[in-house]
């Protein structure tokens, strides 16, 4: 929900801003969400609900603190979409693990 809100409410200037691409072509992990929180610290979105959620998730993960090795960049709009996809993927993994137990 937070990603959708940002995509709807923010200007093209913010959404066209370039940020580090920390997500792999396929799949993602807790580490990538931790890295996403760090990337957002250097943007105009550092005080958003999404950033607070990612930071909290990162603080509770086994990958905190994390580093940002990426040199490639993407537009913020692409970055936010990847955050949404990764969050959904991680949520599904957790839900499946809980259902199996």
């Amino acid at each position: 929900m937070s990603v959708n809100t940002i995509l709807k409410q923010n200007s093209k200037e913010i959404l066209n801003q370039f940020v580090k691409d920390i997500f792999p072509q396929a799949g993602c992990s807790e580490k990538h969400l931790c890295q996403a929180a760090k990337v957002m610290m250097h943007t105009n979105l550092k005080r958003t609900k999404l950033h607070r959620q990612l930071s909290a998730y990162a603080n509770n993960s086994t990958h905190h603190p994390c580093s940002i090795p990426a040199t490639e960049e993407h537009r913020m709009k692409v970055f936010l979409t990847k955050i949404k996809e990764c969050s959904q993927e991680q949520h599904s993994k957790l839900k499946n693990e809980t259902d199996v137990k």
Side-chain angles (χ1 to χ4, degrees):
M1 288 297 279
S2 295
V3 170
N4 291 337
T5 301
I6 290 171
L7 289 172
K8 288 179 187 174
Q9 294 180 352
N10 281 282
S11 68
K12 285 185 180 183
E13 179 182 332
I14 290 174
L15 297 177
N16 286 330
Q17 164 183 3
F18 282 92
V19 294
K20 299 264 185 200
D21 175 24
I22 47 87
F23 291 100
Q25 291 287 51
C28 71
S29 68
E30 287 180 343
K31 178 182 87 171
H32 297 107
L33 292 174
C34 178
Q35 291 172 332
K38 285 191 100 159
V39 167
M40 286 185 77
M41 276 300 297
H42 304 287
T43 71
N44 292 335
L45 301 177
K46 65 184 172 192
R47 291 189 174 93
T48 62
K49 180 180 179 181
L50 175 61
H51 181 255
R52 288 191 303 274
Q53 290 169 325
L54 288 171
S55 294
Y57 184 82
N59 288 336
N60 290 315
S61 79
T62 58
H63 297 284
H64 183 74
C66 56
S67 61
I68 306 170
T71 56
E72 297 282 324
E73 292 188 343
H74 279 291
R75 293 194 187 275
M76 178 65 78
K77 186 174 183 177
V78 173
F79 178 72
L80 291 169
T81 302
K82 288 184 176 190
I83 288 173
K84 180 179 176 179
E85 291 167 356
C86 185
S87 296
Q88 290 170 338
E89 183 179 320
Q90 291 302 306
H91 177 66
S92 292
K93 282 181 186 177
L94 287 173
K95 188 175 184 315
N96 289 339
E97 287 175 8
T98 304
D99 290 345
V100 171
K101 291 179 183 179

